[in-house]
Amino acid sequence: AQSVTQLGSHVSVSEGALVLLRCNYSSSVPPYLFWYVQYPNQGLQLLLKYTTGATLVKGINGFEAEFKKSETSFHLTKPSAHMSDAAEYFCAVSASGTYKYIFGTGTRLKVLA
Amino acid sequence: NAGVMQNPRHLVRRRGQEARLRCSPMKGHSHVYWYRQLPEEGLKFMVYLQKENIIDESGMPKERFSAEFPKEGPSILRIQQVVRGDSAAYFCASSPLPGQGGINEKLFFGSGTQLSVL
């Protein structure tokens, strides 16, 4: 069985500061890992995903995430926050070969001017 | 190019009424997935449909819930005799490829329907 834990339902950072959103997963099989973002009144949009290969994954809008098997983590980072990054971020896991994504509860990012 | 369209955005029902949630997939997509997000929980898979076929309904509650994706028109998630516990955000996603979880798989999500049961 798979599960996802996102630490911190709300995170606030100053504009220009580092963004770090935490995600830990549990999976009995090699996982596929995803980060989705939801801007106000919009659908979830794929930021990045890890399937196989390189453990550091780069996504859109300057975000990246690193798959660390030993820590069962897939934290999302961005070196410098922008006001437009304010949104809700969801981490998800999928056992390879299935479309049944398991999502975390989400982290709402607030960017302070 | 319109994305996945869900309507209504908000739906209020009294206990015992029926709720119908609609989802129009992206153009060219024939695979639709429904997810539900209960308060304080993550999104959970409910059902996967292709045109006129239910492929996987393992996440659907056994009673009162049904889904369809007809040859013409949107996919419909129907909840009969709603109860307060059905209050949640219901998300629809679509994909151009069969839902096999392959490395090229990509789901496109709608903005969801917030169902409130009074």
Side-chain angles (χ1 to χ4, degrees):
Chain A
Q2 286 108 7
S3 66
V4 173
T5 302
Q6 289 184 244
L7 294 175
S9 58
H10 292 81
V11 170
S12 293
V13 300
S14 298
E15 191 174 20
L18 171 72
V19 175
L20 171 60
L21 304 182
R22 298 176 187 275
C23 173
N24 288 88
Y25 70 91
S26 170
S27 179
S28 56
V29 297
Y32 288 179
L33 295 158
F34 307 82
W35 275 100
Y36 279 84
V37 60
Q38 186 178 28
Y39 299 104
N41 299 314
Q42 295 185 29
L44 279 74
Q45 178 182 354
L46 181 66
L47 265 181
L48 50 78
K49 67 177 180 181
Y50 167 80
T51 54
T52 59
T55 56
L56 182 62
V57 182
K58 295 188 185 299
I60 61 173
N61 301 337
F63 284 93
E64 61 182 36
E66 187 171 9
F67 169 59
K68 291 188 176 180
K69 186 178 179 181
S70 61
E71 299 177 9
T72 60
S73 69
F74 191 57
H75 302 329
L76 182 71
T77 60
K78 182 174 180 178
S80 176
H82 193 273
M83 297 297 286
S84 61
D85 294 328
E88 186 152 24
Y89 293 78
F90 294 90
C91 181
V93 65
S94 164
S96 54
T98 177
Y99 44 80
K100 296 179 186 176
Y101 296 10
I102 305 295
F103 283 81
T105 51
T107 297
R108 190 169 296 278
L109 176 66
K110 187 174 181 180
V111 181
L112 307 171
Chain B
N1 185 17
V4 177
M5 303 300 292
Q6 290 189 248
N7 67 81
R9 192 80 174 84
H10 301 274
L11 181 61
V12 179
R13 286 286 178 267
R14 297 189 180 280
R15 280 178 297 171
Q17 291 184 319
E18 178 179 287
R20 280 180 177 251
L21 289 65
R22 292 175 183 76
C23 169
S24 295
M26 285 185 71
K27 187 177 181 180
H29 290 193
S30 57
H31 306 272
V32 166
Y33 315 78
W34 285 93
Y35 282 76
R36 176 170 69 171
Q37 184 181 23
L38 293 167
E40 309 301 320
E41 296 186 19
L43 283 77
K44 288 188 169 65
F45 168 80
M46 299 180 74
V47 61
Y48 164 35
L49 310 104
Q50 294 178 19
K51 288 280 187 182
E52 301 183 278
N53 285 302
I54 297 175
I55 306 303
D56 182 350
E57 57 182 347
S58 58
M60 288 276 271
K62 300 299 181 194
E63 298 177 347
R64 302 185 297 107
F65 284 71
S66 62
E68 62 177 13
F69 189 17
K71 187 176 181 181
E72 300 292 337
S75 175
I76 306 288
L77 180 67
R78 182 184 177 203
I79 311 172
Q80 295 178 290
Q81 300 175 334
V82 296
V83 301
R84 289 221 172 105
D86 297 331
S87 296
Y90 292 82
F91 289 89
C92 171
S94 71
S95 69
L97 300 172
Q100 296 170 346
I103 59 174
N104 294 318
E105 175 124 321
K106 187 172 180 180
L107 299 187
F108 295 81
F109 281 84
S111 52
T113 292
Q114 181 65 50
L115 173 65
S116 298
V117 179
L118 305 178

Short mmCIF file of all heavy atoms in Angstrom, two decimals, chain A residues 12 14 31 39 44 49-50 54 57 59-60 63-64 68 86 91 93-94 96-97 99 101-102 104:
data_model
loop_
_atom_site.label_atom_id
_atom_site.label_comp_id
_atom_site.label_asym_id
_atom_site.label_seq_id
_atom_site.Cartn_x
_atom_site.Cartn_y
_atom_site.Cartn_z
N SER A 12 4.72 29.79 4.79
CA SER A 12 4.90 31.19 4.36
C SER A 12 6.37 31.47 4.16
O SER A 12 7.19 31.09 5.00
CB SER A 12 4.33 32.15 5.41
OG SER A 12 2.93 32.03 5.51
N SER A 14 9.15 34.65 2.42
CA SER A 14 9.28 35.99 1.87
C SER A 14 9.66 35.90 0.40
O SER A 14 10.32 34.95 -0.04
CB SER A 14 10.35 36.78 2.62
OG SER A 14 10.00 36.93 3.97
N PRO A 31 8.22 3.58 -6.65
CA PRO A 31 7.15 4.56 -6.87
C PRO A 31 7.41 5.49 -8.04
O PRO A 31 8.55 5.75 -8.41
CB PRO A 31 7.17 5.36 -5.57
CG PRO A 31 8.62 5.40 -5.21
CD PRO A 31 9.19 4.08 -5.68
N TYR A 39 -3.46 26.65 -8.70
CA TYR A 39 -3.66 28.07 -8.51
C TYR A 39 -5.15 28.34 -8.27
O TYR A 39 -6.00 27.53 -8.66
CB TYR A 39 -3.17 28.85 -9.73
CG TYR A 39 -1.69 28.67 -9.98
CD1 TYR A 39 -1.24 27.84 -11.01
CD2 TYR A 39 -0.74 29.30 -9.19
CE1 TYR A 39 0.11 27.64 -11.23
CE2 TYR A 39 0.61 29.11 -9.40
CZ TYR A 39 1.03 28.28 -10.42
OH TYR A 39 2.37 28.08 -10.64
N LEU A 44 -5.62 21.24 -11.14
CA LEU A 44 -4.27 20.84 -10.73
C LEU A 44 -3.39 20.76 -11.99
O LEU A 44 -3.78 20.20 -13.01
CB LEU A 44 -4.29 19.47 -10.05
CG LEU A 44 -4.68 19.42 -8.59
CD1 LEU A 44 -6.16 19.63 -8.41
CD2 LEU A 44 -4.26 18.09 -7.96
N LYS A 49 7.66 15.31 -12.29
CA LYS A 49 7.46 13.92 -11.87
C LYS A 49 8.77 13.16 -11.94
O LYS A 49 9.66 13.46 -12.73
CB LYS A 49 6.39 13.24 -12.73
CG LYS A 49 6.76 13.02 -14.19
CD LYS A 49 5.64 12.28 -14.90
CE LYS A 49 5.96 12.02 -16.35
NZ LYS A 49 4.86 11.32 -17.06
N TYR A 50 8.85 12.17 -11.06
CA TYR A 50 9.96 11.25 -11.06
C TYR A 50 9.44 9.86 -11.41
O TYR A 50 8.48 9.39 -10.81
CB TYR A 50 10.65 11.20 -9.69
CG TYR A 50 11.61 10.02 -9.59
CD1 TYR A 50 12.89 10.11 -10.14
CD2 TYR A 50 11.22 8.84 -8.99
CE1 TYR A 50 13.75 9.03 -10.09
CE2 TYR A 50 12.08 7.75 -8.93
CZ TYR A 50 13.34 7.86 -9.49
OH TYR A 50 14.18 6.78 -9.44
N ALA A 54 17.50 9.78 -13.32
CA ALA A 54 18.07 10.84 -12.49
C ALA A 54 17.16 11.18 -11.33
O ALA A 54 15.95 11.39 -11.51
CB ALA A 54 18.33 12.08 -13.34
N VAL A 57 14.94 16.05 -10.26
CA VAL A 57 14.00 16.31 -11.35
C VAL A 57 13.69 17.80 -11.42
O VAL A 57 13.38 18.42 -10.41
CB VAL A 57 12.69 15.54 -11.12
CG1 VAL A 57 11.73 15.77 -12.29
CG2 VAL A 57 12.96 14.06 -10.96
N GLY A 59 11.36 20.89 -12.91
CA GLY A 59 10.02 21.08 -13.43
C GLY A 59 9.83 22.48 -14.00
O GLY A 59 10.79 23.18 -14.29
N ILE A 60 8.57 22.86 -14.08
CA ILE A 60 8.27 24.17 -14.63
C ILE A 60 8.42 25.25 -13.56
O ILE A 60 8.45 24.95 -12.36
CB ILE A 60 6.85 24.21 -15.23
CG1 ILE A 60 5.80 23.92 -14.14
CG2 ILE A 60 6.72 23.22 -16.38
CD1 ILE A 60 4.37 24.12 -14.62
N PHE A 63 10.97 25.16 -10.35
CA PHE A 63 10.90 24.19 -9.26
C PHE A 63 11.71 22.93 -9.59
O PHE A 63 11.86 22.56 -10.75
CB PHE A 63 9.44 23.79 -9.00
CG PHE A 63 8.66 24.82 -8.25
CD1 PHE A 63 7.92 25.79 -8.93
CD2 PHE A 63 8.66 24.84 -6.86
CE1 PHE A 63 7.21 26.75 -8.24
CE2 PHE A 63 7.94 25.79 -6.17
CZ PHE A 63 7.22 26.75 -6.85
N GLU A 64 12.20 22.28 -8.56
CA GLU A 64 12.84 21.00 -8.71
C GLU A 64 12.58 20.16 -7.47
O GLU A 64 12.21 20.69 -6.42
CB GLU A 64 14.33 21.13 -8.98
CG GLU A 64 15.13 21.80 -7.90
CD GLU A 64 16.59 21.93 -8.32
OE1 GLU A 64 16.88 22.15 -9.51
OE2 GLU A 64 17.45 21.79 -7.43
N LYS A 68 14.83 10.80 -2.83
CA LYS A 68 15.81 10.19 -1.93
C LYS A 68 15.19 8.91 -1.38
O LYS A 68 14.37 8.95 -0.44
CB LYS A 68 16.17 11.15 -0.81
CG LYS A 68 16.98 12.35 -1.28
CD LYS A 68 17.48 13.18 -0.10
CE LYS A 68 18.36 14.32 -0.57
NZ LYS A 68 18.87 15.14 0.54
N ALA A 86 2.38 31.65 -5.14
CA ALA A 86 1.36 31.42 -4.12
C ALA A 86 0.27 30.51 -4.69
O ALA A 86 -0.39 30.86 -5.68
CB ALA A 86 0.77 32.74 -3.67
N CYS A 91 1.63 16.65 -3.37
CA CYS A 91 2.55 15.58 -3.68
C CYS A 91 1.72 14.32 -3.90
O CYS A 91 0.70 14.11 -3.23
CB CYS A 91 3.51 15.39 -2.52
SG CYS A 91 4.75 14.11 -2.77
N VAL A 93 1.87 9.92 -5.18
CA VAL A 93 2.65 8.72 -5.47
C VAL A 93 1.78 7.76 -6.25
O VAL A 93 0.57 7.71 -6.07
CB VAL A 93 3.17 8.07 -4.17
CG1 VAL A 93 2.02 7.56 -3.31
CG2 VAL A 93 4.12 6.91 -4.48
N SER A 94 2.42 7.00 -7.12
CA SER A 94 1.72 5.99 -7.89
C SER A 94 2.64 4.79 -8.01
O SER A 94 3.80 4.95 -8.39
CB SER A 94 1.36 6.52 -9.28
OG SER A 94 1.01 5.47 -10.15
N SER A 96 4.30 1.91 -9.87
CA SER A 96 4.57 1.83 -11.30
C SER A 96 3.57 0.89 -11.97
O SER A 96 3.30 -0.20 -11.50
CB SER A 96 5.99 1.34 -11.54
OG SER A 96 6.21 0.12 -10.86
N GLY A 97 2.99 1.36 -13.02
CA GLY A 97 2.03 0.56 -13.74
C GLY A 97 0.59 0.78 -13.33
O GLY A 97 -0.28 0.02 -13.70
N TYR A 99 -2.55 3.93 -12.55
CA TYR A 99 -2.99 5.33 -12.62
C TYR A 99 -3.62 5.77 -11.30
O TYR A 99 -4.12 6.86 -11.18
CB TYR A 99 -4.02 5.48 -13.75
CG TYR A 99 -5.01 4.37 -13.73
CD1 TYR A 99 -6.08 4.37 -12.85
CD2 TYR A 99 -4.84 3.26 -14.54
CE1 TYR A 99 -6.96 3.32 -12.79
CE2 TYR A 99 -5.72 2.19 -14.49
CZ TYR A 99 -6.77 2.22 -13.62
OH TYR A 99 -7.64 1.16 -13.56
N TYR A 101 -3.30 7.32 -8.46
CA TYR A 101 -2.44 8.20 -7.68
C TYR A 101 -2.97 8.34 -6.25
O TYR A 101 -4.18 8.42 -6.03
CB TYR A 101 -2.40 9.60 -8.30
CG TYR A 101 -1.78 9.68 -9.68
CD1 TYR A 101 -1.47 8.55 -10.42
CD2 TYR A 101 -1.51 10.91 -10.26
CE1 TYR A 101 -0.93 8.63 -11.70
CE2 TYR A 101 -0.96 11.01 -11.53
CZ TYR A 101 -0.67 9.87 -12.23
OH TYR A 101 -0.14 9.98 -13.50
N ILE A 102 -2.06 8.39 -5.30
CA ILE A 102 -2.37 8.69 -3.91
C ILE A 102 -1.81 10.07 -3.63
O ILE A 102 -0.60 10.29 -3.79
CB ILE A 102 -1.74 7.66 -2.95
CG1 ILE A 102 -2.16 6.24 -3.31
CG2 ILE A 102 -2.11 8.00 -1.51
CD1 ILE A 102 -3.62 5.96 -3.14
N GLY A 104 -1.15 13.58 -1.23
CA GLY A 104 -1.07 14.14 0.10
C GLY A 104 -2.18 15.15 0.31
O GLY A 104 -2.95 15.45 -0.60
#
